[in-house]
Amino acid sequence: MKTGLVLEGGAMRGMYTAGVLDTFLDNKIKVDCIAGVSAGALFGVNYLSGQQGRVIRYNKRFNPDKKYMGLLTLLRERNIFSTEYAYGDVPRRLDPFDDATFQNSGVPFYAVVTNVATGEPEYIRIKSVFDQMDVLRASGSMPFVSQPVDIDGRLYLDGGIADSIPFEWLSRQGCDRLVVILTRDMDYRKRPMPALLTKLYGRKYPVVTEKLRERHTVYNRSVELLRRWESEGRALVIRPSQAIKIGRLEKDPEKLQAVYDLGVRDGCAILGALERYISENLQ
């Protein structure tokens, strides 16, 4: 039996995921396949590179840097995160990502992206973070504040537009049991996106905009289905034990640390159940 790991996005709410995954590293928790969306993909690769603490470290250091993300980068590059600095200088030089260990992990890692032309999700296997940085960048390219990323002549945006929690897809890849890390608490329900915002965006990206209009309904249904799978033992879900209240582009190091610490606490709290759940897959 195979265990699959699903990592929801959520921009800086992903500090929660980073905290949970660092408890996995601490306790040598292993899975057979991973699918990450947006921040889940961008932060999740550090789990396979074995770089415990890297996600919280570089976000606390660089998020306040105007060259890294913010209004200036949006005005200068039309991307809220600097392509050159955030996706180039930081992982290659300033806080190096261990791509060799990632490649040698032996665990398939898939990043979810949304095809701008079709509005459908695509699941691209990441074999090298450095060679496929544009795929990860596309997975985390939030609508309204990011330009679509060109990959092999096709344009892509944030994977969360089309498939926020890809547990059904990962199940179809042969994973019998799923571990799902969410960045929203039990009581959260997504609300419709403001009509004016989607109307303005729809002039340029009509297919994506239609997906955004429907996203709250699709997301909420997905969460309800996941709860059913959870009750049936088909998935073990790790979700914040309290609502995470930080901005999607949070820069305050203390707030980032608090969300990360919540992930560590929740990861530790569920560790026994997680180990039992995974061990069942080995029988």
Side-chain angles (χ1 to χ4, degrees):
M1 299 181 75
K2 292 172 60 177
T3 300
L5 175 63
V6 179
L7 307 174
E8 184 183 16
M12 289 307 128
R13 293 197 312 275
M15 292 302 105
Y16 178 83
T17 302
V20 174
L21 292 179
D22 279 353
T23 68
F24 284 18
L25 289 173
D26 254 345
N27 293 277
K28 296 181 173 54
I29 301 295
K30 296 182 179 180
V31 298
D32 300 300
C33 190
I34 302 173
V37 183
S38 194
L42 289 164
F43 299 158
V45 293
N46 294 272
Y47 169 55
L48 293 188
S49 70
Q51 291 177 279
Q52 185 179 15
R54 179 175 180 271
V55 174
I56 184 63
R57 181 178 66 239
Y58 80 74
N59 278 278
K60 286 173 66 176
R61 177 183 175 187
F62 294 108
N63 280 16
D65 190 336
K66 294 179 181 179
K67 296 182 297 182
Y68 184 80
M69 76 169 187
L71 182 59
L72 289 180
T73 61
L74 182 61
L75 293 174
R76 183 174 61 247
E77 301 183 25
R78 295 194 299 167
N79 286 305
I80 199 72
F81 287 90
S82 170
T83 300
E84 181 177 347
Y85 193 58
Y87 291 98
D89 291 345
V90 170
R92 291 182 180 272
R93 182 173 57 85
L94 299 175
D95 195 327
F97 177 78
D98 187 349
D99 198 34
T101 297
F102 174 87
Q103 292 183 54
N104 292 329
S105 69
V107 178
F109 188 103
Y110 295 88
V112 185
V113 295
T114 298
N115 187 308
V116 170
T118 67
E120 295 302 312
E122 295 184 18
Y123 309 85
I124 302 176
R125 182 171 178 180
I126 305 296
K127 297 181 178 180
S128 165
V129 166
F130 288 154
D131 292 347
Q132 296 174 276
M133 188 63 78
D134 278 350
V135 177
L136 291 168
R137 187 162 64 87
S139 185
S141 289
M142 298 180 289
F144 309 110
V145 292
S146 304
Q147 292 299 302
V149 179
D150 188 316
I151 303 172
D152 297 328
R154 293 183 290 273
L155 297 179
Y156 294 93
L157 280 169
D158 194 312
I161 298 169
D163 192 355
S164 295
I165 316 171
F167 65 96
E168 293 179 90
W169 179 83
L170 195 57
S171 176
R172 293 194 294 270
Q173 309 316 301
C175 291
D176 310 279
R177 298 290 179 90
L178 300 175
V179 176
V180 183
I181 302 179
L182 301 180
T183 59
R184 292 292 194 181
D185 63 280
M186 178 71 81
D187 296 328
Y188 176 77
R189 295 294 182 276
K190 190 174 289 295
R191 297 179 179 179
M193 191 166 288
L196 179 59
L197 200 59
T198 55
K199 183 177 181 180
L200 294 173
Y201 202 63
R203 296 173 183 174
K204 194 169 187 179
Y205 304 114
V207 177
V208 169
T209 300
E210 190 58 34
K211 285 285 184 178
L212 290 171
R213 289 194 182 105
E214 300 171 351
R215 191 180 174 214
H216 66 289
T217 300
V218 174
Y219 180 88
N220 292 338
R221 285 176 179 169
S222 182
V223 168
E224 289 305 315
L225 178 60
L226 180 58
R227 286 187 177 186
R228 192 182 315 153
W229 283 31
E230 186 178 16
S231 67
E232 295 169 352
R234 299 175 65 183
L236 184 146
V237 182
I238 303 171
R239 53 173 64 83
S241 54
Q242 62 189 63
I244 295 176
K245 298 179 180 180
I246 61 170
R248 294 180 65 83
L249 302 174
E250 186 61 62
K251 297 183 178 183
D252 187 328
E254 292 185 3
K255 292 181 179 179
L256 295 171
Q257 184 70 52
V259 174
Y260 172 84
D261 291 344
L262 177 64
V264 171
R265 291 197 300 273
D266 288 353
C268 289
I270 204 169
L271 187 60
L274 175 64
E275 290 175 333
R276 290 192 296 273
Y277 182 79
I278 292 178
S279 68
E280 292 175 359
N281 294 337
L282 304 177
Q283 298 174 1

